[in-house]
Amino acid sequence: MHIWQGDITTLAFDAIVNAANSSLLGGGGVDGAIHRAAGPQLRQYCANLGGCPTGEARITPGFRLPARHVLHTVGPVWRGGSHGEPGLLAACFRACLALANQHQLNTIAFPAISCGIYGYPPELAAPIAVEESLTALACRDKLQITLVAFDTEMVEHFATALSGRR
Ligand code: AR6
C-alpha cells in the first residue's frame, strides 16, 4: 500500500475513486476536480446511471483523465458517529474494491472519502481506509492501492493508521 500526497486527477492508474454524492452529477472537492479534469462527457455518462446510494459504488470511463476508469462512491455524512458512519465508510472501500476485482483493475487510488465536505474526522476515517485496503491486498496478488492525501495533515493520519496496523 502506498500513501501519496497530491491531486488524484493526475494519476494514470487503472482507476481513481471519486468521493461523490448520491446524484453522481458532480459537486465540490475531489468530485469537482475529477469532473473538471474528465470533461463534460463524464457528467453525461453519470446522468444515465440513476444515482448511487451511500456505501455503494458505480464505474465509469475516465474520459479525459489519465486514469482509465473512475469508481464513484458515496461516503457517509458525519453525524456524530452513531448513525452507522464507520460501517458505511468501510462499505465504500469494499464496493470500489469489488468493482476493481470484477473489471480486473489493478492500480487503484482512493481519496480520503468523507473527510472533506462530509465532515468525517480524518483520524477516525484513516484506520478504516487502511484496514479495508490491507484486507483487499491480502486477497489479490496484482492489486496496488494508493491512499491519496490532499494535504500533509491527511498524510499523517494515513501514516499513523498504517503504522498502528503493522
Ligand atoms: N485530489 C485528492 N484529494 C482531494 C482533491 C484532489 N484533487 N480535492 C480534495 N481532496 P471532499 P467528501 C480531498 O469534500 O467529504 C462533493 O461536493 C479533500 O481534502 O471532496 O466525501 C461531493 O459531490 C478531503 O480530504 O469529499 C459530495 O457532495 C477528501 O478529498 C461531497 O463533496 C474528501 O473531501 C463529498 O464530501
Side-chain angles (χ1 to χ4, degrees):
M1 188 190 326
H2 306 278
I3 297 166
W4 182 79
Q5 185 181 354
D7 179 358
I8 201 168
T9 66
T10 63
L11 297 176
F13 283 18
D14 291 341
I16 61 170
V17 173
N18 183 17
N21 60 63
S22 56
S23 77
L24 298 183
L25 296 178
V30 72
D31 193 11
I34 287 173
H35 275 268
R36 275 193 300 280
Q41 276 180 294
L42 178 59
R43 193 176 186 283
Q44 285 161 23
Y45 193 100
C46 285
N48 290 319
L49 295 179
C52 177
T54 304
E56 294 189 16
R58 302 287 184 266
I59 187 167
T60 70
F63 297 103
R64 290 184 202 155
L65 286 164
R68 288 200 292 126
H69 299 275
V70 181
L71 304 173
H72 304 260
T73 190
V74 183
V77 176
W78 181 256
R79 293 195 290 148
S82 57
H83 294 81
E85 293 94 328
L88 287 167
L89 185 60
C92 290
F93 283 88
R94 286 183 201 165
C96 291
L97 290 161
L99 279 176
N101 199 11
Q102 278 166 32
H103 293 266
Q104 297 177 324
L105 311 176
N106 293 325
T107 51
I108 316 293
F110 283 94
I113 300 164
S114 285
C115 291
I117 293 163
Y118 280 180
Y120 207 115
E123 67 277 16
L124 301 182
I128 294 173
V130 165
E131 195 63 37
E132 293 304 325
S133 299
L134 290 174
T135 301
L137 287 165
C139 300
R140 262 183 72 198
D141 268 357
K142 287 185 184 165
L143 185 63
Q144 291 181 41
I145 297 178
T146 300
L147 299 179
V148 177
F150 206 40
D151 51 37
T152 49
E153 197 186 318
M154 198 67 225
V155 172
E156 293 300 321
H157 290 303
F158 283 143
T160 302
L162 187 56
S163 64
R165 191 54 178 48
R166 271 176 177 155

